[in-house]
Amino acid sequence: MAVVGSRSRRAEMNWATICCSAFSCLQLYWARLVIRKWFNLSSFDSDYSADTDDDRLSLSGSQDFDPRSSGATNDTDDCPKLRRRNSETFRVQYIDTQAVRICAGTWNVGGTVPPADLDIDGWLDTLEPADIYVLGLQEIVPLNAGNIFGMEDDQPASEWENIIRDALNRVRPRNPKILSHSDPPSPSMFKVSHDMFLETRHGACDTFFSCERPIVSEDSLTNIEVLDSTNDNASLSMQINSDSQREERFSYNARVGLSWPEPPLKLLNQYVLERRGGAFKSLNLSIMNLRKPAYVRIVSKQMVGVFLTVWVRRSLRKHISNLSVSTVGVGIMGYIGNKGSVSVSMSIYQTPFCFLCSHLSSGEKDTDHQKRNDDVREIHRRTLFHPHSSSASVLPRSIRDHERVIWLGDLNYRINLSYEKTHELIARKEWQRLLENDQLSNEMRKGNVFEGWSEGVLCFPPTYKYEIDSENYIGDDPESGKRRPAWCDRVIWKGKGMKLLSYRRNEIKLSDHRPVTATFLAEVEVLSLWKLQRALAITYAEIQSQ
């Protein structure tokens, strides 16, 4: 019995030792995480998220990945890394230019969790789809002590990403293939395919052959042969093949001599639907699950309440390289991330871009704009890209090293007018007089900050501060007093080859700010391999002749 009791006590001591060790490790791990968050210390591993490179990516899911293992963003992919040389004469021999459409949007959401059915199509300007979407959110979580000093709450970011993903997946193709209604194809070339039996994502057309959009595009549909992977789908595929052969004569006769769209074609539509029944619906649902999303998430990064996410067209992803992320906290003690910036550096084809989302110091005092100026200078000084890259000598390391820069966010600059005068000018829509007293415009004009940067014309009302779910600015508040309206939410840019197409705000009343959108047409350099080969051949011939 004594031996059994001794073994039991030793087992209890071992368990106690293990528990104490585990608790100590947990405390050390927590301390490291908190210290890293407080002082924005980045690890060697990637700490941002992006979509995987899987073509069968789910429409609603998003996964994290290490960018060093992704062919879309690392420094060893197939995208050419040849950069420009000093000689402009030589560079023009192998470089082409191309324009990409960039939509940059900023919004202070005030820590509000978005409803699942939130409509952000107007903010993203989905009627005029862009190639790249750069979206910045501020106060994505409430700026309380728990979120500022504790662990980061990434659940709101996931919910915002799902809303963005759904909105972008509803975007129509920019250059749809229009099917001819008056010139049907030659009967000898006609073949019955599965495409004629598929509905579009946006609903069924009156007739299969008179849709204004392509029924199935190669960018939105994976190989239909994957339906054969299960027994049910295999039998369904065989059924459609056999039905197609039996109906080929009917379909052929229905199309010959018809002036589209005619009632007989509707009869064909009804005939096919009746013959398919439940099988047609099953096929359509299977195809919907296999659609590729039109846009993929290149990067998402959160620092306390500042959140930046970048999305690109699927076909453009392979031309994105040299991706790097930098965060700078300028809040409490000058380092905490309740205020600061999240920056992304990337190469689009051969041109380096920098996108920044920032939330600067608040305040309406006459000297508060100096704090915001200091924040801007500190962000410039401490933002660092590619710190561990072997190619860092040729890659941009600071914000100023990039050829195209877009800076967006809640910059918090105010209007130097009284409460009454500001409201009077807003009521008269005298935007120019308001702009003459805008702090940011004056600081840029004086060259104190953002020297050489540009901004669109502010021809819309100030975006701050509104009552929640209201069109009225906040008036007499016992806690905050009379809060003067201001253009706190801004999008500015720097670099040649950038043309501003639109600069506007959107009327979503979710928070006390209104979202702002700027759309650009940016010129990028594209390496032309055949031009390069020709230039090298000419150079080689000259060397041989000499």
Side-chain angles (χ1 to χ4, degrees), residues 101-104 123-125 128-130 491 499-504 517-521:
R101 190 182 182 97
I102 301 176
C103 177
W123 180 39
L124 303 186
D125 194 14
E128 295 290 338
V491 181
K499 178 183 178 182
L500 180 67
L501 301 179
S502 67
Y503 191 34
R504 57 186 178 76
T517 306
T519 305
F520 301 90
L521 204 61

PDB file of all heavy atoms in Angstrom, residues 101-104 123-125 128-130 491 499-504 517-521:
ATOM      1  N   ARG A 101      -7.411  50.039 -63.760  1.00  0.00           N
ATOM      2  CA  ARG A 101      -8.395  50.835 -63.025  1.00  0.00           C
ATOM      3  C   ARG A 101      -8.332  50.454 -61.551  1.00  0.00           C
ATOM      4  O   ARG A 101      -8.468  49.267 -61.206  1.00  0.00           O
ATOM      5  CB  ARG A 101      -9.795  50.599 -63.591  1.00  0.00           C
ATOM      6  CG  ARG A 101     -10.870  51.548 -63.061  1.00  0.00           C
ATOM      7  CD  ARG A 101     -12.219  51.188 -63.650  1.00  0.00           C
ATOM      8  NE  ARG A 101     -13.267  52.074 -63.215  1.00  0.00           N
ATOM      9  CZ  ARG A 101     -13.717  53.105 -63.895  1.00  0.00           C
ATOM     10  NH1 ARG A 101     -13.181  53.368 -65.085  1.00  0.00           N
ATOM     11  NH2 ARG A 101     -14.688  53.875 -63.422  1.00  0.00           N
ATOM     12  N   ILE A 102      -8.129  51.444 -60.691  1.00  0.00           N
ATOM     13  CA  ILE A 102      -7.978  51.212 -59.253  1.00  0.00           C
ATOM     14  C   ILE A 102      -9.076  51.962 -58.519  1.00  0.00           C
ATOM     15  O   ILE A 102      -9.265  53.168 -58.709  1.00  0.00           O
ATOM     16  CB  ILE A 102      -6.606  51.679 -58.745  1.00  0.00           C
ATOM     17  CG1 ILE A 102      -5.478  50.946 -59.478  1.00  0.00           C
ATOM     18  CG2 ILE A 102      -6.476  51.460 -57.239  1.00  0.00           C
ATOM     19  CD1 ILE A 102      -4.090  51.428 -59.100  1.00  0.00           C
ATOM     20  N   CYS A 103      -9.803  51.253 -57.668  1.00  0.00           N
ATOM     21  CA  CYS A 103     -10.831  51.842 -56.824  1.00  0.00           C
ATOM     22  C   CYS A 103     -10.312  51.854 -55.388  1.00  0.00           C
ATOM     23  O   CYS A 103     -10.046  50.791 -54.816  1.00  0.00           O
ATOM     24  CB  CYS A 103     -12.138  51.063 -56.915  1.00  0.00           C
ATOM     25  SG  CYS A 103     -13.451  51.690 -55.833  1.00  0.00           S
ATOM     26  N   ALA A 104     -10.144  53.051 -54.809  1.00  0.00           N
ATOM     27  CA  ALA A 104      -9.647  53.197 -53.440  1.00  0.00           C
ATOM     28  C   ALA A 104     -10.764  53.757 -52.577  1.00  0.00           C
ATOM     29  O   ALA A 104     -11.294  54.837 -52.867  1.00  0.00           O
ATOM     30  CB  ALA A 104      -8.431  54.127 -53.407  1.00  0.00           C
ATOM     31  N   TRP A 123     -20.431  52.118 -52.625  1.00  0.00           N
ATOM     32  CA  TRP A 123     -19.093  52.478 -52.144  1.00  0.00           C
ATOM     33  C   TRP A 123     -18.018  51.912 -53.056  1.00  0.00           C
ATOM     34  O   TRP A 123     -17.026  52.563 -53.378  1.00  0.00           O
ATOM     35  CB  TRP A 123     -18.918  51.974 -50.713  1.00  0.00           C
ATOM     36  CG  TRP A 123     -17.596  52.287 -50.096  1.00  0.00           C
ATOM     37  CD1 TRP A 123     -16.880  53.437 -50.221  1.00  0.00           C
ATOM     38  CD2 TRP A 123     -16.815  51.430 -49.254  1.00  0.00           C
ATOM     39  NE1 TRP A 123     -15.710  53.364 -49.501  1.00  0.00           N
ATOM     40  CE2 TRP A 123     -15.643  52.142 -48.909  1.00  0.00           C
ATOM     41  CE3 TRP A 123     -16.996  50.150 -48.742  1.00  0.00           C
ATOM     42  CZ2 TRP A 123     -14.659  51.597 -48.082  1.00  0.00           C
ATOM     43  CZ3 TRP A 123     -16.028  49.611 -47.915  1.00  0.00           C
ATOM     44  CH2 TRP A 123     -14.865  50.333 -47.595  1.00  0.00           C
ATOM     45  N   LEU A 124     -18.214  50.657 -53.526  1.00  0.00           N
ATOM     46  CA  LEU A 124     -17.239  50.016 -54.401  1.00  0.00           C
ATOM     47  C   LEU A 124     -17.414  50.402 -55.865  1.00  0.00           C
ATOM     48  O   LEU A 124     -16.578  50.021 -56.694  1.00  0.00           O
ATOM     49  CB  LEU A 124     -17.342  48.488 -54.273  1.00  0.00           C
ATOM     50  CG  LEU A 124     -17.157  47.903 -52.876  1.00  0.00           C
ATOM     51  CD1 LEU A 124     -17.148  46.377 -52.939  1.00  0.00           C
ATOM     52  CD2 LEU A 124     -15.878  48.403 -52.239  1.00  0.00           C
ATOM     53  N   ASP A 125     -18.495  51.110 -56.170  1.00  0.00           N
ATOM     54  CA  ASP A 125     -18.748  51.534 -57.557  1.00  0.00           C
ATOM     55  C   ASP A 125     -18.728  50.330 -58.494  1.00  0.00           C
ATOM     56  O   ASP A 125     -17.999  50.302 -59.491  1.00  0.00           O
ATOM     57  CB  ASP A 125     -17.714  52.574 -57.989  1.00  0.00           C
ATOM     58  CG  ASP A 125     -18.125  53.288 -59.270  1.00  0.00           C
ATOM     59  OD1 ASP A 125     -19.300  53.160 -59.659  1.00  0.00           O
ATOM     60  OD2 ASP A 125     -17.283  53.961 -59.882  1.00  0.00           O
ATOM     61  N   GLU A 128     -19.118  50.385 -62.434  1.00  0.00           N
ATOM     62  CA  GLU A 128     -17.918  50.580 -63.247  1.00  0.00           C
ATOM     63  C   GLU A 128     -16.800  49.768 -62.593  1.00  0.00           C
ATOM     64  O   GLU A 128     -15.970  50.304 -61.860  1.00  0.00           O
ATOM     65  CB  GLU A 128     -17.546  52.058 -63.315  1.00  0.00           C
ATOM     66  CG  GLU A 128     -18.556  52.927 -64.033  1.00  0.00           C
ATOM     67  CD  GLU A 128     -18.565  52.655 -65.536  1.00  0.00           C
ATOM     68  OE1 GLU A 128     -17.552  52.144 -66.049  1.00  0.00           O
ATOM     69  OE2 GLU A 128     -19.579  52.969 -66.175  1.00  0.00           O
ATOM     70  N   PRO A 129     -16.737  48.469 -62.848  1.00  0.00           N
ATOM     71  CA  PRO A 129     -15.800  47.596 -62.112  1.00  0.00           C
ATOM     72  C   PRO A 129     -14.351  48.006 -62.324  1.00  0.00           C
ATOM     73  O   PRO A 129     -13.946  48.433 -63.407  1.00  0.00           O
ATOM     74  CB  PRO A 129     -16.072  46.205 -62.702  1.00  0.00           C
ATOM     75  CG  PRO A 129     -17.415  46.299 -63.357  1.00  0.00           C
ATOM     76  CD  PRO A 129     -17.534  47.712 -63.823  1.00  0.00           C
ATOM     77  N   ALA A 130     -13.581  47.894 -61.254  1.00  0.00           N
ATOM     78  CA  ALA A 130     -12.159  48.203 -61.304  1.00  0.00           C
ATOM     79  C   ALA A 130     -11.347  46.913 -61.410  1.00  0.00           C
ATOM     80  O   ALA A 130     -11.860  45.812 -61.190  1.00  0.00           O
ATOM     81  CB  ALA A 130     -11.751  48.989 -60.060  1.00  0.00           C
ATOM     82  N   VAL A 491      -8.771  60.674 -49.621  1.00  0.00           N
ATOM     83  CA  VAL A 491      -7.927  59.835 -50.477  1.00  0.00           C
ATOM     84  C   VAL A 491      -7.015  60.773 -51.261  1.00  0.00           C
ATOM     85  O   VAL A 491      -7.494  61.629 -52.018  1.00  0.00           O
ATOM     86  CB  VAL A 491      -8.750  58.967 -51.448  1.00  0.00           C
ATOM     87  CG1 VAL A 491      -7.812  58.106 -52.303  1.00  0.00           C
ATOM     88  CG2 VAL A 491      -9.742  58.091 -50.701  1.00  0.00           C
ATOM     89  N   LYS A 499      -4.420  59.103 -63.252  1.00  0.00           N
ATOM     90  CA  LYS A 499      -5.505  60.016 -63.606  1.00  0.00           C
ATOM     91  C   LYS A 499      -6.703  59.724 -62.720  1.00  0.00           C
ATOM     92  O   LYS A 499      -7.178  58.589 -62.659  1.00  0.00           O
ATOM     93  CB  LYS A 499      -5.885  59.841 -65.081  1.00  0.00           C
ATOM     94  CG  LYS A 499      -7.053  60.719 -65.521  1.00  0.00           C
ATOM     95  CD  LYS A 499      -7.424  60.449 -66.966  1.00  0.00           C
ATOM     96  CE  LYS A 499      -8.614  61.292 -67.394  1.00  0.00           C
ATOM     97  NZ  LYS A 499      -9.021  60.995 -68.802  1.00  0.00           N
ATOM     98  N   LEU A 500      -7.188  60.756 -62.027  1.00  0.00           N
ATOM     99  CA  LEU A 500      -8.357  60.599 -61.169  1.00  0.00           C
ATOM    100  C   LEU A 500      -9.621  60.640 -62.021  1.00  0.00           C
ATOM    101  O   LEU A 500      -9.862  61.610 -62.744  1.00  0.00           O
ATOM    102  CB  LEU A 500      -8.392  61.707 -60.115  1.00  0.00           C
ATOM    103  CG  LEU A 500      -9.565  61.661 -59.133  1.00  0.00           C
ATOM    104  CD1 LEU A 500      -9.458  60.437 -58.227  1.00  0.00           C
ATOM    105  CD2 LEU A 500      -9.619  62.942 -58.302  1.00  0.00           C
ATOM    106  N   LEU A 501     -10.427  59.588 -61.932  1.00  0.00           N
ATOM    107  CA  LEU A 501     -11.669  59.519 -62.698  1.00  0.00           C
ATOM    108  C   LEU A 501     -12.856  60.054 -61.912  1.00  0.00           C
ATOM    109  O   LEU A 501     -13.750  60.685 -62.487  1.00  0.00           O
ATOM    110  CB  LEU A 501     -11.939  58.072 -63.123  1.00  0.00           C
ATOM    111  CG  LEU A 501     -10.862  57.402 -63.980  1.00  0.00           C
ATOM    112  CD1 LEU A 501     -11.253  55.973 -64.308  1.00  0.00           C
ATOM    113  CD2 LEU A 501     -10.613  58.202 -65.253  1.00  0.00           C
ATOM    114  N   SER A 502     -12.896  59.793 -60.607  1.00  0.00           N
ATOM    115  CA  SER A 502     -14.001  60.278 -59.779  1.00  0.00           C
ATOM    116  C   SER A 502     -13.561  60.334 -58.328  1.00  0.00           C
ATOM    117  O   SER A 502     -12.671  59.578 -57.903  1.00  0.00           O
ATOM    118  CB  SER A 502     -15.238  59.378 -59.919  1.00  0.00           C
ATOM    119  OG  SER A 502     -14.991  58.094 -59.370  1.00  0.00           O
ATOM    120  N   TYR A 503     -14.177  61.260 -57.570  1.00  0.00           N
ATOM    121  CA  TYR A 503     -13.899  61.433 -56.143  1.00  0.00           C
ATOM    122  C   TYR A 503     -15.225  61.802 -55.503  1.00  0.00           C
ATOM    123  O   TYR A 503     -15.770  62.874 -55.771  1.00  0.00           O
ATOM    124  CB  TYR A 503     -12.854  62.529 -55.938  1.00  0.00           C
ATOM    125  CG  TYR A 503     -12.279  62.628 -54.542  1.00  0.00           C
ATOM    126  CD1 TYR A 503     -12.094  61.503 -53.747  1.00  0.00           C
ATOM    127  CD2 TYR A 503     -11.893  63.864 -54.012  1.00  0.00           C
ATOM    128  CE1 TYR A 503     -11.551  61.598 -52.485  1.00  0.00           C
ATOM    129  CE2 TYR A 503     -11.334  63.971 -52.755  1.00  0.00           C
ATOM    130  CZ  TYR A 503     -11.170  62.836 -51.983  1.00  0.00           C
ATOM    131  OH  TYR A 503     -10.634  62.926 -50.729  1.00  0.00           O
ATOM    132  N   ARG A 504     -15.742  60.941 -54.662  1.00  0.00           N
ATOM    133  CA  ARG A 504     -17.103  61.135 -54.169  1.00  0.00           C
ATOM    134  C   ARG A 504     -17.267  60.425 -52.833  1.00  0.00           C
ATOM    135  O   ARG A 504     -16.393  59.684 -52.389  1.00  0.00           O
ATOM    136  CB  ARG A 504     -18.113  60.560 -55.173  1.00  0.00           C
ATOM    137  CG  ARG A 504     -17.873  59.097 -55.462  1.00  0.00           C
ATOM    138  CD  ARG A 504     -18.733  58.524 -56.549  1.00  0.00           C
ATOM    139  NE  ARG A 504     -18.399  57.132 -56.785  1.00  0.00           N
ATOM    140  CZ  ARG A 504     -18.752  56.126 -56.002  1.00  0.00           C
ATOM    141  NH1 ARG A 504     -19.462  56.367 -54.919  1.00  0.00           N
ATOM    142  NH2 ARG A 504     -18.408  54.889 -56.271  1.00  0.00           N
ATOM    143  N   THR A 517     -14.851  57.357 -51.837  1.00  0.00           N
ATOM    144  CA  THR A 517     -14.266  56.528 -52.897  1.00  0.00           C
ATOM    145  C   THR A 517     -13.558  57.402 -53.922  1.00  0.00           C
ATOM    146  O   THR A 517     -14.090  58.434 -54.338  1.00  0.00           O
ATOM    147  CB  THR A 517     -15.352  55.703 -53.608  1.00  0.00           C
ATOM    148  OG1 THR A 517     -16.088  54.959 -52.649  1.00  0.00           O
ATOM    149  CG2 THR A 517     -14.725  54.745 -54.618  1.00  0.00           C
ATOM    150  N   ALA A 518     -12.370  56.981 -54.313  1.00  0.00           N
ATOM    151  CA  ALA A 518     -11.640  57.616 -55.417  1.00  0.00           C
ATOM    152  C   ALA A 518     -11.284  56.538 -56.434  1.00  0.00           C
ATOM    153  O   ALA A 518     -10.774  55.481 -56.066  1.00  0.00           O
ATOM    154  CB  ALA A 518     -10.378  58.310 -54.909  1.00  0.00           C
ATOM    155  N   THR A 519     -11.553  56.817 -57.696  1.00  0.00           N
ATOM    156  CA  THR A 519     -11.267  55.856 -58.765  1.00  0.00           C
ATOM    157  C   THR A 519     -10.197  56.444 -59.682  1.00  0.00           C
ATOM    158  O   THR A 519     -10.313  57.595 -60.121  1.00  0.00           O
ATOM    159  CB  THR A 519     -12.531  55.534 -59.572  1.00  0.00           C
ATOM    160  OG1 THR A 519     -13.553  55.074 -58.684  1.00  0.00           O
ATOM    161  CG2 THR A 519     -12.241  54.454 -60.602  1.00  0.00           C
ATOM    162  N   PHE A 520      -9.174  55.631 -59.952  1.00  0.00           N
ATOM    163  CA  PHE A 520      -8.019  56.080 -60.742  1.00  0.00           C
ATOM    164  C   PHE A 520      -7.841  55.203 -61.972  1.00  0.00           C
ATOM    165  O   PHE A 520      -8.243  54.035 -61.997  1.00  0.00           O
ATOM    166  CB  PHE A 520      -6.730  56.003 -59.911  1.00  0.00           C
ATOM    167  CG  PHE A 520      -6.730  56.822 -58.661  1.00  0.00           C
ATOM    168  CD1 PHE A 520      -7.179  56.290 -57.464  1.00  0.00           C
ATOM    169  CD2 PHE A 520      -6.263  58.126 -58.674  1.00  0.00           C
ATOM    170  CE1 PHE A 520      -7.174  57.035 -56.297  1.00  0.00           C
ATOM    171  CE2 PHE A 520      -6.255  58.884 -57.517  1.00  0.00           C
ATOM    172  CZ  PHE A 520      -6.704  58.339 -56.324  1.00  0.00           C
ATOM    173  N   LEU A 521      -7.204  55.791 -62.957  1.00  0.00           N
ATOM    174  CA  LEU A 521      -6.668  55.055 -64.090  1.00  0.00           C
ATOM    175  C   LEU A 521      -5.155  55.212 -64.010  1.00  0.00           C
ATOM    176  O   LEU A 521      -4.622  56.307 -64.218  1.00  0.00           O
ATOM    177  CB  LEU A 521      -7.212  55.591 -65.411  1.00  0.00           C
ATOM    178  CG  LEU A 521      -7.207  54.615 -66.595  1.00  0.00           C
ATOM    179  CD1 LEU A 521      -8.069  53.398 -66.286  1.00  0.00           C
ATOM    180  CD2 LEU A 521      -7.694  55.293 -67.858  1.00  0.00           C
TER     181      LEU A 521
END
